[in-house]
């Protein structure tokens, strides 16, 4: 089983809204990731959690706030986003260096 | 500075023929390489990987070749099928870097014509 699930599939939010993206994996992977992907571009790493601790923050603005409640779950809390933050947000988990991606959340900020 | 480069933005091949996607890297510390396939509005799907201690890895219709001296890898798809039409990303990492960070190329859009 190499499934990473993400909810919601689509999200439309205003610039003053607070919303959360959720990610779940049951493969026993101890590293989880958030990526942002714009059209026709490669995934851009945002955060890495290793053993439920934040290990990498790629200088992401504070309006994005990650959270890892347990080894299977990863959240991304969103607040006061800008229209340029509209993108596909991908979650991944990894066994060594093979990362397995979820289907993504298509976020539109109005 | 792009450490992983896919110099061909697009590739078109006929169904049944071989597709060859290329990737170059500059960082000699990379020792693990991966290929992902991505359909529009979906997450990337892991295809195949190769460690720097090997020069070839095969999985069904997919074979990855690594030329360390040239810092070049390629993905061969034989035979190509219309369902293979997608964007293909190569990615590189340091296997023992402990960061889990993948460096992606810009992607190559493959179109397989029936």
């Amino acid at each position: 089983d190499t499934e990473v699930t993400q909810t919601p599939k689509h999200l439309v939010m205003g610039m003053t809204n607070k919303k959360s993206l959720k990610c779940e994996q049951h493969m026993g992977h101890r590293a989880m990731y958030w990526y942002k992907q714009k059209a026709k571009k490669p995934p851009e790493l945002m955060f890495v959690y290793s053993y439920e601790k934040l290990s990498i923050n790629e200088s992401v603005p504070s309006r994005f706030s990650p959270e890892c409640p347990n080894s299977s779950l990863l959240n991304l809390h969103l607040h006061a986003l800008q229209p340029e933050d509209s993108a596909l947000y991908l979650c991944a988990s990894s066994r060594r260096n093979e990362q397995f991606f979820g289907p993504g959340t298509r976020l539109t900020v109005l | 500075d792009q450490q992983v480069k896919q110099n061909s933005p697009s590739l078109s091949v006929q169904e049944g023929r071989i597709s060859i996607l290329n990737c170059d890297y500059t960082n000699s510390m990379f020792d693990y390489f991966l290929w992902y396939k991505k359909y529009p509005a979906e997450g990337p799907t892991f295809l195949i990987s190769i460690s720097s201690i090997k020069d070839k890895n095969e999985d069904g219709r997919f074979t990855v070749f690594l030329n360390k001296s040239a810092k070049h890898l390629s993905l061969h798809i034989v035979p190509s099928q219309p369902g293979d039409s997608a964007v293909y990303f190569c990615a590189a990492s340091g296997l023992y870097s402990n960061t889990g960070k993948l460096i992606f190329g810009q992607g190559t859009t493959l179109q397989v014509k029936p």
Side-chain angles (χ1 to χ4, degrees):
Chain A
D1 180 12
T2 55
E3 189 177 26
V4 177
T5 59
Q6 290 187 245
T7 56
K9 191 173 175 65
H10 300 277
L11 179 63
V12 179
M13 60 186 291
M15 289 189 284
T16 58
N17 291 158
K18 283 185 181 181
K19 295 287 184 183
S20 297
L21 309 184
K22 296 185 183 301
C23 173
E24 190 166 2
Q25 59 91 10
H26 293 288
M27 295 177 277
H29 294 169
R30 301 315 296 267
M32 296 184 75
Y33 311 78
W34 280 115
Y35 288 85
K36 172 182 176 179
Q37 185 170 28
K38 292 274 200 178
K40 300 188 185 301
K41 295 288 187 183
E44 182 183 331
L45 183 65
M46 300 174 72
F47 302 103
V48 180
Y49 271 83
S50 179
Y51 291 87
E52 300 162 49
K53 292 190 188 310
L54 183 64
S55 60
I56 294 180
N57 175 341
E58 291 285 289
S59 302
V60 179
S62 59
R63 57 186 184 268
F64 296 92
S65 174
E67 178 197 18
C68 188
N70 59 56
S71 61
S72 300
L73 293 174
L74 189 65
N75 298 323
L76 186 63
H77 302 298
L78 314 172
H79 175 54
L81 294 193
Q82 304 297 310
E84 59 265 29
D85 296 321
S86 298
L88 182 67
Y89 286 83
L90 295 162
C91 174
S93 68
S94 70
R95 174 184 65 220
R96 298 187 80 185
N97 276 65
E98 293 167 355
Q99 292 186 19
F100 298 94
F101 287 83
T105 294
R106 172 65 61 187
L107 174 67
T108 303
V109 182
L110 300 176
Chain B
D1 175 33
Q2 263 190 280
Q3 298 185 70
V4 178
K5 300 179 186 178
Q6 293 176 255
N7 292 318
S8 298
S10 62
L11 174 68
S12 181
V13 300
Q14 208 65 36
E15 181 179 7
R17 306 295 291 267
I18 185 171
S19 296
I20 300 176
L21 298 103
N22 294 304
C23 181
D24 297 295
Y25 61 97
T26 58
N27 190 336
S28 57
M29 297 301 291
F30 290 146
D31 54 11
Y32 201 77
F33 305 90
L34 308 92
W35 283 95
Y36 287 87
K37 169 183 175 180
K38 188 179 185 304
Y39 294 118
E42 293 185 11
T45 301
F46 169 71
L47 278 176
I48 192 168
S49 60
I50 187 167
S51 163
S52 60
I53 62 173
K54 295 185 175 182
D55 54 19
K56 177 183 174 182
N57 189 25
E58 192 171 353
D59 184 1
R61 296 186 298 116
F62 302 94
T63 303
V64 56
F65 295 92
L66 175 63
N67 182 333
K68 281 197 303 180
S69 61
K71 293 191 177 69
H72 176 84
L73 64 153
S74 60
L75 175 68
H76 292 212
I77 306 174
V78 182
S80 301
Q81 300 172 354
D84 296 328
S85 298
V87 179
Y88 289 77
F89 291 100
C90 70
S93 73
L95 184 59
Y96 300 105
S97 69
N98 292 323
T99 66
K101 188 171 178 177
L102 292 181
I103 309 299
F104 284 89
Q106 293 297 304
T108 297
T109 300
L110 172 65
Q111 183 185 26
V112 179
K113 296 179 180 177

